[in-house]
Amino acid sequence: MDTSGYGNDNYESLHNAASDDELVDIIAGATLDFSITDDVPPLDPEYSLGHDAYTNGKTGNTKLMDLLDEPVPGVGTYEDFNTIDWVREKSKDRDRHREITSKSKLSTPALLESISDAFSGWLLMLLIGLWSGALAGGIDILAHWLTDLKEGLCLSGFWYDHEHCCWGSNETTFQERDKCPEWQSWAELLGGSSVGASAYIVDYLMFIIWALLFAFLAVILVRAFAPYACGSGIPEIKTILSGFIIRGYLGKWTLIIKTVTLVLAVSSGLSLGKEGPLVHVACCCANILCHLFTKYRKNEAKRREKYAAAGVSYYFPLKTLWRSFFAALVAAFTLRSINPFGNSRLVLFYVEFHTPWHMVELVPFVLLGIFGGLWGAIFIRANIAWCRRRKNTCLGRYPVLEVLVVTGATALLSFPNSYTRMSGSELISELFNDCSLLDSSQLCGYITYSNTIPDRPAGPDVYTALWQLALALVFKMLITVVTFGMKVPSGLFIPSMAVGAIAGRLLGVGMEQLALNHHDSAIFKSWCSPGADCITPGLYAMVGAAACLGGVTRMTISLVVIMFELTGGLEYIVPLMAATMTSKWVADAFGREGIYEAHIRLNGYPFLEPKEEYGSKALAQDVMRPRRSDPPLAVLTQEGMSVGEVEAMVADTDYSGFPVVVCQESQRLVGFILRRDLVISLGACNARQRQEGVVSASLVFFTDHVPAQPTSGPPAVKLRGILDLSPFTVTDHTPMEITVDIFRKLGLRQSLVTHNGRLLGIITKKDVLKHMAQMANRDPDSILFN
């Protein structure tokens, strides 16, 4: 109610909004205007014609107009940093659908229009799937190339990464498939030698220089062209899906810059991933493509259905589930055609373990779940504390310097350790790997007494790898805390999985050697015979990755599904479920917020978390405004007020809307009108221009019938058409527990409070959020709309 966004006197942005009452435009007529810098829908072709008609016909037009009959451009749209009215948006779409359905029975063109309208949603999901899949494949290919560019160059073609460069070589052996004469390190290119201290120093310096260059380009592009392209984007996407409007967050510039800088940020070697930002990229694609279809361009609720299908879910009706499935199918087909992973599969970390797991192993799996929960709770608290320090100190004023310092420290410390030098995806693939006879990895350096895999005592290479992994674990845990939240695109899936995979591999190797050396003990005797390969360390790494990711994000069912998607390991559902549930229980013991919910609260976004419990016994009258010491609620009467009085009330307040009552004495509720709609309707380009003679003394009516006016006086203005005659109301004795549930499930932006039909006050979404913050002993003023 006290949102200042509606008090903006700059009307230029109003001309960028589409009319909400037109039904269906010809799709070919709806084009994207790339001169606009945000994601505001483009103008409709009919708008300019209608506006000229009003301008040319204003003289001699003394007809009392109802704005319901002649729609005003901009009415029904929303200002930036405001919450949409879900009830109104859904009602508007139902009316549109009924009209199209009724017209379809009258003529063949109308029937074809109805069919086109019905299939437009499927066509939109097809386009979203194609675009998102193509971008995901391109980002992965470019990130691999730039990551390898830090270590060397392919002489047969600079556009080849290390793996593809050696694929085409005739001198590559299976044991050393990462070495070929076509690929040369920077020491070989600049100094002619790949061995010795000088070669190591050259490679070290080039690694740091390339990392700093990539990070510098990423942060500069974000700061100069698209500030919204930083971070993972998931907290903001969840807030937008709940009904909040952030103009430009899903716009074309954000899409372009986030795609480019995501490649650069991942390639710089920072402890971040690309999976979270890809959700933001997919939602940007959905938003831009929605502008091609009238029913999505003009309806904020319908558009959010497609955001949910492309990204994370908040508002997710059943039909959106099927269209999401279709979009995922198209995206998977596109990704399979591009084949960015080079393994002819759709999973990033394909696993194929040869040894089944045993029930006894559930104990170490649960231990990994406990570790994941503890790590998740510690990480969230540490990262939020660091981000709060960044916001409240001079550190936040130098984002470029911060990114360069963190990148330099990451490159400096990660190069000596082969497990921190490689990218996060390569590290996880290495840890998930089930060693075979031909594996040349350090982790597979077992002592073999025959040409068989079982009975593998660890050799010196394995112990060296374990020490390096232990150091890598500490490094990853610390550096990820300060990396996530910087002004570059940064995801959290890969770093969290890397931490868990390292811990899981360490535990897996330990269990493997324990079973080898104590196979006669009571724990292993019944199922692990001598000489058998009973333990799979790669499985422990996979379970640990799921546990840490679950502890950080608090995902459960969706996390298990994601692990299936990433690994293809469907037969390991029980270990994954056990670790995931344990990590969530342990992490929830220290706080129920996941990392994304914590960042939503840190940034003060108006987001009602569906999972948050509410235990207060307060009533609606305890939360509503005005308070007992406040001045009376500013209301409009359905008749008797002049245009000047209405404009003065708008100027003197910053409320986002005004209740309309029968009269000041009775306070009987008639309806509710949004400030923006009122300002637009009474603006110089509307009521005063469309209807001759309207002045400040003209009376304003919100009734069906306007009483006869004196012929000598100015004409009246009828605004019944923009009045919401069915605003949501609760009584003053409605428990706040029910009121909060209503706000969550209906997506309300405000609810009026009445007593026996008499208006008492109003509760806005911001009031609910502030009240819930007070109940949780948090600062209520941290909830911001602007």
Side-chain angles (χ1 to χ4, degrees), residues 544-716:
C548 281
L549 186 56
V552 170
T553 63
R554 308 300 165 84
M555 295 187 298
T556 50
I557 299 174
S558 56
L559 174 57
V560 175
V561 174
I562 288 172
M563 294 304 298
F564 293 159
E565 293 174 347
L566 292 176
T567 63
L570 185 60
E571 62 268 29
Y572 304 106
I573 182 171
V574 174
L576 290 173
M577 291 174 64
T580 302
M581 290 304 301
T582 303
S583 69
K584 177 172 172 54
W585 288 334
V586 172
D588 283 350
F590 296 91
R592 301 185 64 85
E593 283 185 332
I595 184 63
Y596 302 125
E597 290 76 21
H599 273 269
I600 287 174
R601 180 165 57 83
L602 175 68
N603 294 324
Y605 296 139
F607 179 76
L608 274 173
E609 173 57 53
K611 297 178 291 185
E612 187 174 357
E613 296 181 359
Y614 181 87
S616 173
K617 296 182 179 180
L619 303 178
Q621 63 182 2
D622 302 323
V623 180
M624 73 175 189
R625 283 179 296 141
R627 305 282 193 267
R628 293 178 180 176
S629 59
D630 294 341
L633 189 66
V635 298
L636 301 172
T637 57
Q638 66 176 356
E639 57 183 39
M641 294 186 70
S642 67
V643 171
E645 291 173 333
V646 173
E647 291 177 334
M649 180 177 292
V650 171
D652 293 341
T653 62
D654 58 358
Y655 301 148
S656 61
F658 302 93
V660 178
V661 296
V662 174
C663 61
Q664 292 287 356
E665 292 74 20
S666 71
Q667 291 288 305
R668 296 289 177 180
L669 182 63
V670 175
F672 189 83
I673 187 169
L674 293 178
R675 178 195 191 96
R676 178 183 175 89
D677 293 352
L678 190 62
V679 168
I680 294 173
S681 301
L682 294 178
C685 294
N686 294 311
R688 298 178 189 271
Q689 187 175 37
R690 296 185 182 194
Q691 189 173 338
E692 184 181 3
V694 173
V695 294
S696 296
S698 299
L699 296 180
V700 178
F701 290 90
F702 296 96
T703 56
D704 279 326
H705 304 287
V706 176
Q709 301 296 309
T711 55
S712 59

Side-chain angles (χ1 to χ4, degrees), residues 160-179:
Y160 289 126
D161 60 21
H162 193 169
E163 184 178 10
H164 288 84
C165 183
C166 291
W167 271 5
S169 175
N170 296 324
E171 302 181 36
T172 304
T173 62
F174 191 84
Q175 286 78 10
E176 295 184 342
R177 49 190 177 273
D178 60 336
K179 296 181 180 179

